[in-house]
Amino acid sequence: MSEIVFKNICKSFGDVKVIENLDLTLKDGEFTVLVGASGCGKTTLLRMIAGIGPATSGEIFMDGEEISDIPPGKRGVAMVFQNYAIYPTMTVRGNIDFGLKNKKVPKAERDRLVQEVAETVGLTPYLDRKPSALSGGQRQRVALARAMVKKPKVFLMDEPLSNLDAKLRGSMRSELIELHNRLKTSFVYVTHDQAEAMSMADTIILMDAGRIMQQASPEVIYNDPDNIFTARFIGTPPMNICRLKDGETYLGYRPEKVFFSTEKTDALYQRKAKILTREMLGSETLYKVQILEPDFAEDKGLSVMTKSFETRYMPGEMLNICVRREHLYFFNKERNRIRKGDVPDIETYYRMAEGTV
Amino acid sequence: MSKAKNNASPAKRKCGPRLMDRLRPYLMIAPCIAFLVVFTLYPVVNMIYLSFFEYDLLTPKKFVGLNNYYRLFFVNVDFWEAFKHTFYYTVAEVVLLITLGLLLAMWVRKSTFLNAIAQRVMFLPHLVAMLTVAYVFQWLMDDRSGLFNAVLNFFHLPGLNWLNSSKTALMSVVIVSIWKNVGYYALILLSSLKAIPAEIYEAADLDDARPLLKFFKITVPMLSPQIFFLLVTITMGSFKVFESIRVLTGGGPGSSTDVLVYYIYRYAISNMKYGYACAAGTILFVILMVFMVVYFRLPGKRVHYQ
């Protein structure tokens, strides 16, 4: 049981402030994914929990206890590093065993635990090998086994799958989800890959430049983004953002919510457009479309991405792009979301977005 | 393969070109081999050959069989003395240089401005000629006007005789050699030390490893190839120590710093007993061979190569 709370955390490297006055609560037992572009501070937060990169100021609580002064080995956390950081001079067994030995676990108990965990991750035949004689995927498993054997309160993972090939990454991803379901302990997982975050997380924490842009479940973060950054970070291709005719407000809609039509439809948002490119992906097709008369005059040549099951449209074709009222998002000039109730009259924005075809 | 052979024209199948093909690799390495033969193999063989003769470079040499070896081992006791001194010297050098080198490397491990300076300063003694070092230390270790005794006296401690006492002379030579070489060896270790990824230590922190354990379970094994290299080179170098002995003590006082190479030098150059010196040289050669064989067998799996 371990809820992790960050209070007023600051972190600087030299003169560079990476994180400023951050507050954050990670719920107990959840699979939390910290996601963001490189340099956004996600790994820094993870290292703070581990105790290997202390905060410059602020407090971190685990189960209500301030842990800043507790050494990494006593925090009840285990970490899987991006490049695994397994001990190259020890055998697989030695690697898994090392933490237990330091905790003075009796030999018989240690052997049982190592055997058990090796069984779980499928390393039993390799226990007496050196890491140099293992493949990348097997090394990854050693790192995982080393973390699991300690039965930690919190698993910390720093892009653990980024060094694996795509196929292995996919299978490890589902294995990690299973592992979390079985152990029911807290996982804190760092990645820059939004698809990984979406597929694994109970809660996603999206970060940018040391700030938290949104903390929510994958469904909420996808369907109900708080700001343009979130809307464009999550989902591929990202949400289309166009300025409305006042030049200050932004309209957004997801590529997969756009449909094409050659005549007028009942959709609220309709614009004349021309197909620029077509990318056939298999189950769906991506079209890059140029809006012929953008709402805001300066946005000349504005193009948007659309995703469709239709494959019959070809570059050069002229048609209407249509989006229904419920699929439209509005953002203010600070690039934050405008929801119903935030402004006296949301209908103004819908009127601005209304079809001009 | 066989098809290609059959296709070759009958003329070409004669020995000419094929001989050339076979010879080419040998021709390629010939200069290197010639160099080895002239400067390494021939001297060794000649040394062993001369060890069976009585020879003073002036009169014709006289075959004496194993007589030189007999005198070396059973008649003159000074060979064993020299061997003992060399052995002590080598053990002290190996232990102290590797230990201190490791400690120095650990000390200046972090990349800071001050450590960068410290590294350069550490390396400086290695650039100074042994002869210069020896003369400087002769003054430092002088029992009356030397700095070392002045410092000892300042703290009301009795001065030492350093190089002038048979009890401390060998130790004093070791001190000089350590001072001169430790920075160089520390630098070799330092470069490898810095190449150990920080994550491994962080993982060890998370595994609750105490500092001493991290040192012995991670740092030392990770440095094992370099430590092994040091072990081999320091052993070789120490067994062949000559220059510092020649300048600092001349083998004295008495025979307290007489080491093998100095012994050989004494017999060959001072006493003109060339054959006898060659016998001693052969023994030194054999001793080093034995050491190397043992070294390369013993650590085996304990040396971890990436």
Side-chain angles (χ1 to χ4, degrees), chain B residues 7-231:
Chain B
N7 285 350
S9 67
K12 277 196 174 176
R13 287 179 71 181
K14 282 193 174 171
C15 71
R18 288 190 63 188
L19 189 71
M20 201 54 216
D21 278 351
R22 275 204 206 156
L23 275 180
R24 189 173 292 129
Y26 296 101
L27 283 174
M28 298 283 204
I29 58 168
C32 218
I33 296 292
F35 201 83
L36 264 177
V37 166
V38 172
F39 291 104
T40 307
L41 205 60
Y42 169 72
V44 170
V45 172
N46 198 33
M47 174 181 73
I48 297 170
Y49 170 74
L50 282 176
S51 73
F52 301 115
F53 290 86
E54 206 178 286
Y55 185 36
D56 60 3
L57 293 171
L58 301 171
T59 50
K61 50 182 181 278
K62 197 175 94 194
F63 184 76
V64 291
L66 291 172
N67 197 26
N68 281 333
Y69 291 96
Y70 177 74
R71 274 169 50 215
L72 193 84
F73 285 126
F74 302 111
V75 179
N76 297 352
V77 283
D78 53 355
F79 178 79
W80 288 113
E81 282 289 306
F83 176 78
K84 209 171 74 188
H85 298 147
T86 315
F87 186 75
Y88 288 160
Y89 178 83
T90 304
V91 170
E93 287 271 291
V94 166
V95 171
L96 290 173
L97 274 178
I98 292 181
T99 315
L100 294 176
L102 254 178
L103 288 177
L104 267 184
M106 297 284 285
W107 188 33
V108 296
R109 177 184 205 173
K110 275 203 180 133
S111 302
T112 62
F113 178 67
L114 223 59
N115 282 349
I117 295 174
Q119 270 177 46
R120 283 157 180 75
V121 172
M122 263 162 49
F123 190 69
L124 273 181
H126 190 72
L127 300 176
V128 185
M130 188 67 220
L131 202 70
T132 324
V133 173
Y135 280 118
V136 170
F137 268 84
Q138 256 182 351
W139 167 70
L140 287 172
M141 288 176 165
D142 192 276
D143 24 343
R144 294 223 188 91
S145 59
L147 180 70
F148 287 4
N149 275 358
V151 172
L152 285 175
N153 289 335
F154 179 80
F155 291 106
H156 301 290
L157 291 165
L160 291 174
N161 276 329
W162 301 105
L163 295 161
N164 293 332
S165 152
S166 56
K167 281 182 188 152
T168 51
L170 195 62
M171 179 199 77
S172 305
V173 178
V174 170
I175 290 175
V176 176
S177 158
I178 300 281
W179 179 83
K180 182 162 165 38
N181 292 318
V182 73
Y184 173 70
Y185 292 120
L187 217 63
I188 292 181
L189 291 172
L190 184 66
S191 62
S192 312
L193 200 59
K194 283 190 170 177
I196 302 177
E199 287 92 357
I200 292 188
Y201 288 104
E202 288 167 358
D205 279 337
L206 282 157
D207 272 342
D208 205 12
R210 274 157 284 274
L212 214 59
L213 193 76
K214 276 194 277 186
F215 179 74
F216 284 111
K217 287 283 175 182
I218 293 167
T219 311
V220 172
M222 293 291 277
L223 292 180
S224 54
Q226 285 72 34
I227 293 176
F228 184 64
F229 170 75
L230 257 56
L231 185 69

Side-chain angles (χ1 to χ4, degrees), chain A residues 10-307:
Chain A
C10 299
K11 173 83 182 180
S12 10
F13 292 105
D15 294 336
V16 187
K17 282 183 181 165
V18 184
I19 294 172
E20 258 183 291
N21 305 329
L22 177 131
D23 293 294
L24 177 66
T25 303
L26 308 182
K27 280 193 215 120
D28 170 46
E30 273 201 345
F31 200 124
T32 309
V33 175
L34 293 165
V35 65
S38 38
C40 72
K42 53 193 192 304
T43 300
T44 309
L45 281 184
L46 195 76
R47 292 169 62 85
M48 281 179 199
I49 306 175
I52 51 178
T56 312
S57 68
E59 294 170 301
I60 307 171
F61 297 88
M62 198 185 281
D63 295 327
E65 188 193 356
E66 225 282 311
I67 57 166
S68 300
D69 292 331
I70 302 176
K74 310 269 187 222
R75 292 186 176 195
V77 300
M79 183 153 168
V80 179
F81 292 82
Q82 181 170 9
N83 42 17
Y84 319 141
I86 43 186
Y87 313 121
T89 56
M90 302 181 198
T91 58
V92 172
R93 186 192 303 279
N95 264 282
I96 303 175
D97 219 12
F98 192 62
L100 297 178
K101 264 190 195 161
N102 298 337
K103 292 234 182 308
K104 308 239 168 5
V105 178
K107 175 98 174 80
E109 171 80 355
R110 252 166 36 210
D111 286 346
R112 192 183 60 76
L113 286 169
V114 170
Q115 206 61 46
E116 193 181 287
V117 81
E119 203 80 38
T120 324
V121 297
L123 277 176
T124 317
Y126 309 107
L127 275 177
D128 294 311
R129 282 207 200 166
K130 285 275 178 71
S132 52
L134 299 178
S135 70
Q138 287 164 339
R139 286 180 206 190
Q140 166 70 64
R141 281 162 199 274
V142 175
L144 200 60
R146 184 174 66 182
M148 282 165 69
V149 80
K150 289 191 275 187
K151 300 207 173 9
K153 289 188 284 184
V154 183
F155 277 96
L156 306 173
M157 305 197 179
D158 186 7
E159 310 218 13
L161 306 184
S162 60
N163 286 352
L164 303 178
D165 61 70
K167 203 173 157 197
L168 198 55
R169 195 180 319 155
S171 70
M172 281 304 284
R173 211 190 262 181
S174 54
E175 275 183 48
L176 284 179
I177 299 171
E178 267 175 50
L179 183 71
H180 175 249
N181 290 342
R182 202 166 59 234
L183 299 175
K184 308 240 180 296
T185 43
S186 308
F187 277 50
V188 184
Y189 188 104
V190 162
T191 180
H192 63 268
D193 179 356
Q194 59 93 17
E196 209 165 278
M198 290 294 280
S199 66
M200 301 175 88
D202 292 321
T203 303
I204 291 179
I205 296 168
L206 177 60
M207 295 182 67
D208 179 40
R211 283 169 303 135
I212 291 164
M213 301 310 286
Q214 190 163 1
Q215 175 178 10
S217 69
E219 293 78 12
V220 171
I221 215 162
Y222 184 78
N223 292 319
D224 194 11
D226 279 350
N227 43 57
I228 292 183
F229 182 85
T230 309
R232 287 192 58 84
F233 194 90
I234 304 287
T236 40
M239 184 184 278
N240 297 305
I241 304 289
C242 327
R243 268 187 282 194
L244 288 173
K245 58 175 169 266
D246 62 358
E248 285 192 341
T249 323
Y250 297 88
L251 168 76
Y253 47 88
R254 296 233 171 247
E256 57 272 32
K257 303 296 184 197
V258 178
F259 61 94
F260 295 144
S261 160
T262 42
E263 56 227 50
K264 205 165 158 50
T265 63
D266 61 345
L268 180 97
Y269 177 87
Q270 294 183 53
R271 296 290 185 274
K272 279 204 195 90
K274 180 177 138 189
I275 296 181
L276 293 177
T277 63
R278 168 180 179 270
E279 291 173 53
M280 169 73 194
L281 298 181
S283 61
E284 63 233 330
T285 307
L286 295 181
Y287 297 97
K288 190 177 181 186
V289 191
Q290 186 179 14
I291 296 177
L292 294 176
E293 291 156 19
D295 299 28
F296 188 57
E298 282 177 28
D299 286 346
K300 213 164 216 158
L302 175 77
S303 61
V304 298
M305 293 301 290
T306 74
K307 198 192 239 179

